[in-house]
Amino acid sequence: MEKIRFQSPDGTVEDFYIEEQTRIGGVAYLLVSDSMDDEANAYILKDVSEDTDSEAFYEMVEDENELQAVYKVFEQMLEDVDLEM
């Protein structure tokens, strides 16, 4: 499983495991977890990088409507996995 490093706006650095990825309306989203355990917490990250950026930049999806819409897509993609947000 691929792992990425995420730095929050307050400077905290966390490692996440990429569970799944998708593209909706031209925007890339990642479903990530904070561990490989069954009790891991899941988060949805949104690619906010520009075409000219040499690296991808992600932020956590906080808009409730966007979060629910993307969550439903991941839920359908991972029907056999119990997702809880």
Side-chain angles (χ1 to χ4, degrees), residues 1-2 17-21 31-36 40 78:
M1 186 174 299
E2 187 177 352
Y17 298 91
I18 300 173
E19 302 289 339
E20 190 61 76
Q21 53 189 343
L31 175 65
V32 299
S33 62
D34 58 4
S35 76
M36 293 177 55
L78 301 167

Side-chain angles (χ1 to χ4, degrees), residues 46-57:
K46 176 181 182 176
D47 186 348
V48 294
S49 54
E50 300 291 327
D51 292 338
T52 58
D53 292 333
S54 61
E55 295 182 13
F57 295 98

